[in-house]
Amino acid sequence: MSLKQLQDGDISYCLHHATSDANARMELLDFLNADVSLSDIWKVFSDSDARFAELALHLRGARVLRQDPLECLIQFLCSSNNNIKRITKMVDYISSLGNYLGTVEGFQFHAFPPLEQLSLISEEDLRKAGFGYRAKYITGTVTSLQSKPGGGAEWLESLRQLDLQEVIDALCTLPGVGLKVAACIALFSLDQPDAIPVDTHVWQIATRYLLPELAGSQLTPKLCIRVAEAFVSRYGKYAGWAQTLLFIAELPSQKALLHSHFWNIREHKAAKEKNGEADAR
DNA sequence: CTTTGACCTCGATT
DNA sequence: AAATCGAGGTCAA
C-alpha cells in the first residue's frame, strides 16, 4: 500500500495488489483501525486526564495502526536494546528480500516477505547484515512459527480472537519475545487495545503522572505489570492507545511541534488584540 | 521467585 | 584519537 499526503491535506492511496477500488478502500480502513471511534475514546481519555485537552492540538487524529502480525513481530524482534536508526536499517534489509513492487520517487518498494521467504534467510546472513544476537531470534521464531498448526501466519492471526493475557503468553513462547515486545505486537497488530508496552520511556511517563510514589525505583518485571494495570485503570479498554499518544507527545519532534503551536496561538491572539478584535475565549 | 550479566552493533560522548 | 556508554530487551544462571 502506498499513501501520499496531497497539498490540500487529503490522502491518496494505492493498494498494489488490490482487486478493486472497493477492496483497496476496505484494506486501508482496516489498516487504519477505522472502526475505532476517536471521538469516543478521546472523551474517555479527556474525562480522566486533563492533559489530553492539550494533546488534542496536534494528536487528536492520531491512530494506532492495525499492522500485519508477522511483519510487526519481526520488526519488534529487531527492536530489543536497539535504536530506531539501526532498526530501520535491519527491517529494510529483510524487506529487500520480499517481492519487488515498484519504485516511487526513487525509493524501491518490496512486499514484506512471507514466512516461506523468511525461512530462506540463515542466521549467518543476518549476522553479516549486522543483526547481532537478534539474528538467532529471527531464525528461531520463524522456525517455531512454521511448526505451528496451520503454518504460522494463520496461528499469529488467530491470536486476534484471544484475550490479552493469552496473547502475551502465546507470543512469549517465541524466542526473542519478552513482555515488552509481546505487548507491542499485541497492541499494534493483534487487536489488544489495552496492551501496555512498558519500556524505560513509558516508565518515566508513568512515574511522573500515574505512580509518583514509585519514582526513582528500578524497573522490574513486577513493576511493569503495576504500570500496565495503572494505565488500564486510568484510561480503560483503550489504555494502550492512550499510552501511545502520551508516548508520542514526549518525543522531541512532537514537543517542538506542541511548543511552536503554543506560540502560534499566542501570536495569533496578540495580532487579533492589536486589531481590536474581541478574544473568543 | 528476584537479581545480574552477557549479548551484537553503532554513534555520540568524553 | 581510543575508550566507554547506552539505545523503546531477552535469556539463563
Side-chain angles (χ1 to χ4, degrees):
Chain A
M1 171 160 36
S2 304
L3 298 177
K4 183 174 184 178
Q5 182 155 21
L6 306 175
Q7 295 288 336
D8 57 13
D10 283 354
I11 306 287
S12 77
Y13 59 91
C14 170
L15 246 279
H16 298 282
H17 58 277
T19 52
S20 68
D21 187 58
N23 176 259
R25 191 180 166 74
M26 212 186 66
E27 289 219 28
L28 177 60
L29 292 176
D30 182 82
F31 185 58
L32 295 177
N33 253 325
D35 287 342
V36 176
S37 161
L38 285 181
S39 53
D40 286 357
I41 62 176
W42 271 88
K43 175 155 177 35
V44 176
F45 298 164
S46 314
D47 284 350
S48 48
D49 188 340
R51 274 179 309 130
F52 272 87
E54 194 181 342
L55 292 188
L57 294 175
H58 273 283
L59 299 179
R60 73 191 153 67
R63 288 180 168 278
V64 169
L65 298 177
R66 190 171 192 252
Q67 297 176 249
D68 174 72
L70 178 62
E71 184 173 349
C72 192
L73 165 59
I74 302 295
Q75 285 180 181
F76 279 105
L77 279 178
C78 297
S79 77
S80 82
N81 202 246
N82 207 351
N83 54 66
I84 303 275
K85 190 175 172 191
R86 187 151 77 105
I87 297 168
T88 306
K89 199 180 117 194
M90 291 159 71
V91 172
D92 282 347
Y93 172 80
I94 291 183
S95 301
S96 72
L97 304 171
N99 292 339
Y100 174 70
L101 293 175
T103 299
V104 180
E105 292 174 3
F107 290 98
Q108 294 193 174
F109 286 89
H110 297 257
F112 192 81
L115 221 40
E116 310 90 69
Q117 283 180 359
L118 290 176
S119 68
L120 301 177
I121 313 175
S122 69
E123 181 181 337
E124 194 191 340
D125 291 338
L126 293 170
R127 281 190 177 269
K128 274 191 291 193
F131 279 64
Y133 60 84
R134 301 165 198 83
K136 62 180 180 299
Y137 291 166
I138 310 259
T139 54
T141 285
V142 167
T143 304
S144 172
L145 282 176
Q146 286 188 305
S147 73
K148 300 288 184 191
E154 295 75 9
W155 178 82
L156 264 182
E157 294 206 12
S158 74
L159 300 181
R160 284 176 164 166
Q161 319 303 325
L162 304 182
D163 288 331
L164 175 59
Q165 194 54 53
E166 299 174 299
V167 174
I168 304 254
D169 291 343
L171 290 173
C172 284
T173 64
L174 300 168
V177 180
L179 224 45
K180 149 69 164 68
V181 168
C184 287
I185 302 165
L187 175 60
F188 298 129
S189 76
L190 294 175
D191 298 339
Q192 309 294 324
D194 51 341
I196 312 290
V198 181
D199 57 31
T200 52
H201 288 230
V202 173
W203 175 242
Q204 297 302 321
I205 297 174
T207 53
R208 196 144 20 109
Y209 300 114
L210 288 178
L211 303 164
E213 68 275 19
L214 294 179
S217 43
Q218 253 228 348
L219 184 51
T220 63
K222 219 172 193 175
L223 284 179
C224 284
I225 294 170
R226 283 273 297 279
V227 171
E229 287 170 352
F231 268 100
V232 173
S233 73
R234 179 79 181 259
Y235 300 109
K237 185 64 184 167
Y238 283 82
W241 288 53
Q243 176 273 135
T244 304
L245 294 166
L246 293 174
F247 184 90
I248 293 172
E250 294 291 321
L251 296 175
S253 57
Q254 287 300 319
K255 283 209 154 168
L257 273 178
L258 274 173
H259 198 247
S260 72
H261 193 103
F262 174 74
W263 286 105
N264 284 341
I265 291 172
R266 299 259 316 223
E267 282 162 18
H268 186 58
K269 196 173 154 189
K272 280 205 302 191
E273 280 165 0
K274 200 172 168 186
N275 294 337
E277 297 177 29
D279 191 334
R281 277 163 297 175

